[in-house]
Amino acid sequence: MSGSGTTADDDPPLQTAVWRLRSRACWTDAAALLEPHAATDPAAALQRTTLLTERCLYTGQGWTDAEDALRTAEALAHDNAERGAAACERGYLAYASTLLGTRDRADEASVALSRAAALLAPAAPGRPLLDFRRGLIAQNIADSPQSARAAYRRAHAGATAQGDELLLSFTWRHLASLALREGELAEARHGFSESLRIREELGYLVGTAPALISLADAEPEPEAAARLRAEAGRLFRLLGGVPTWLAPRLEPPSPGTAEAN
């Protein structure tokens, strides 16, 4: 979920192009730019897998392409860092399949992420992303908010140390979702606001509508919440209905839901 969330002047042109396509939900086009390199370069193969897995999570489609890309990345990995990163991607793809109800692969997700944890050194660059994904498993599959919070906090600290702004936008959002679940509205609003700010600054358009909806859920003023949902709806339509799972959230919540939040 993290990546080169930047278009800095010193970025390689290929990475800048990939990021711009990814941020606008053009994952297939972005993956195509990497395809010539992905057959021999482990880093390119892994990045291509990340793009196609994100496509699955946001659209519910493209599972075969993601699996094929993942097998290539696994085959090219030649050291523990690369094997660990590939295992982390396998765990995330299995998690996405389970979360969207495509196929229950929860056991595979847990095993793959545990393997990644065994392969990646504590200070490895991929460790914060791994911690974040373990938090997702704990929150959304194991229903263990305490374990999820601990994992998200480790990921947040690691992303901060590494300057991974895109990952920070996710850790802020998921820590805020746990705060909202516990009725800590001020903490939730802060986290959701930080997530939205980062995504807007990065130009991560495909992730902006979900961030707007999350902030609306923590907004006590009905008019402000309605404006946030309206902007989310505009972006959702602009991107052709992506992410698909956001569609039911674009309607105003019922009074009972609003009171529960």
Side-chain angles (χ1 to χ4, degrees), residues 58-120:
Y58 277 65
T59 69
Q61 299 177 352
W63 301 98
T64 300
D65 290 341
E67 288 283 357
D68 289 346
L70 175 58
R71 282 193 289 270
T72 297
E74 289 172 331
L76 289 175
H78 65 272
D79 60 26
N80 282 350
E82 291 171 356
R83 293 187 190 100
C88 187
E89 291 303 322
R90 177 159 292 284
Y92 191 54
L93 183 60
Y95 162 78
S97 176
T98 305
L99 185 70
L100 297 184
T102 303
R103 192 172 119 211
D104 187 350
R105 298 171 61 182
D107 289 344
E108 180 186 349
S110 295
V111 168
L113 294 185
S114 294
R115 181 169 186 267
L119 290 167
L120 292 174

Side-chain angles (χ1 to χ4, degrees), residues 208-232:
T208 300
L212 286 163
I213 289 293
S214 294
L215 184 57
D217 288 344
E219 176 53 60
E221 296 295 331
E223 290 185 3
R227 286 194 297 272
L228 291 167
R229 289 193 176 90
E231 177 61 12

